[in-house]
Amino acid sequence: MPPVTTAKRRRIPGLRLFTMTAGLQRVTLIVGLGLVAVFVFVAIFAPLIAPYGLAQNSSDGVAFVAQQPPSGQHWFGTSVRSEDVLSRVIFGARTALIVIAISLVMSLVVGVPLGLVSGYIGRALDRVLVLFMDAIYAFPTLLLAIVVSIVVAGGQSSSFGGVLSASVAITAIYVPQYFRVVRNATVAVKNEPYVDAARVTGASTTRIMFRHILANVTQSLPVIVTLNAGDAILTLAALGFLGFGIEPTQAAEWGYDLNKALSDVSNGIWWTGIFPGTAIVLVVLGLTLVGESLNEVLNPLLRTRRALAPATVASDTAIEKNVPATELTAAELDLRESDSAAAEDSSAGEGVSQ
């Protein structure tokens, strides 16, 4: 008989991860993914969605009224610079997405290889890298971001220069985190049997690190990346709020808009600050919900607790109801046998005492 070949079904990416959730955890994941999807969609199609330009303060030769409340022409009102607040919020999503993508990619490219090399090779190189990364990690994150932003920007706040300086500043914050996570995981697995087997077969150091070890030490990185993305938005907003962000005529930035809205609060002008602030809260909330949901799914400790709780309840129920042994699962049989052995030991102990 010829061998029967079975075609593999193509699964939707991430569907298995979604099926591993249940109840409130699934609701949390759906809400988080929904907020993140809206954020990415708005950022990508910002020029098509925004009614005006990011720094436009007039239309058809007619200047916009400064600090105009929300209306049919300006849904989110106008700012003190006569700019449409809705357009600034939409283009601010694009700026945030670009900065997050550049900073996280740069952090992974720098931090992960350094962590692999430091953890696998060890010796003096490991001590030097650990000392250097701990020194960076000891600095306050916002202060470090401000210093790096000033050094990289060089006093220029152009569109490219401002985005690049903000991205490098955020990268300097997250490189030590990825380094420490990957380095500690590499130290834990570098003496495992599969690594020794690869070493015995003559595999090079580079092949062992990036082919055999890398896949086993990066399982927690998706959770860290998701949480760091939300923190990156807060850091970018803080830089813009303090005046170290991007020139407002070159790119829209939520933190800068919040800074310019401070004087409006005391005058009862709420729309210039509430909408950029709400955008920051919603995006960070969505990324945090996704990160926490991924942590509960990918963390083996939390996954084991969820798996053991229903099995224990089912086993106790089956034993209390005296279910026949043929209808019990293997775990329930083991639990019944252990309980029987414990009962025999206790009865034997009572006979000896008597």
Side-chain angles (χ1 to χ4, degrees), residues 246-289:
I246 308 168
E247 182 67 27
T249 59
Q250 301 296 326
E253 205 280 306
W254 293 332
Y256 178 85
D257 294 341
L258 286 177
N259 187 349
K260 295 304 178 182
L262 284 178
S263 58
D264 298 339
V265 177
S266 58
N267 297 324
I269 303 175
W270 53 269
W271 55 88
T272 56
I274 193 67
F275 293 113
T278 303
I280 295 175
V281 171
L282 291 178
V283 175
V284 174
L285 177 62
L287 292 170
T288 304
L289 291 177

Side-chain angles (χ1 to χ4, degrees), residues 73-128:
Q73 184 180 4
H74 303 283
W75 290 3
F76 288 1
T78 58
S79 63
V80 68
R81 297 159 53 97
S82 301
E83 297 168 340
D84 183 64
V85 176
L86 175 60
S87 301
R88 296 283 300 179
V89 171
I90 293 175
F91 278 100
R94 163 168 283 198
T95 304
L97 181 62
I98 294 174
V99 172
I100 289 174
I102 296 176
S103 60
L104 292 182
V105 169
M106 292 174 63
S107 301
L108 290 171
V109 170
V110 176
V112 172
L114 287 179
L116 279 173
V117 172
S118 178
Y120 184 77
I121 297 178
R123 298 189 292 274
L125 178 63
D126 179 48
R127 290 192 291 270
V128 172

Side-chain angles (χ1 to χ4, degrees), residues 2 7 23 29-30 102 138 141 145 156 163 167 185 188 201 210 237 245 261 292 294 299:
L29 181 60
I30 292 175
I102 296 176
T141 56
Q156 300 178 359
V163 170
S167 302
T201 56
F210 291 95
E292 293 297 335
L294 291 178
N299 192 335

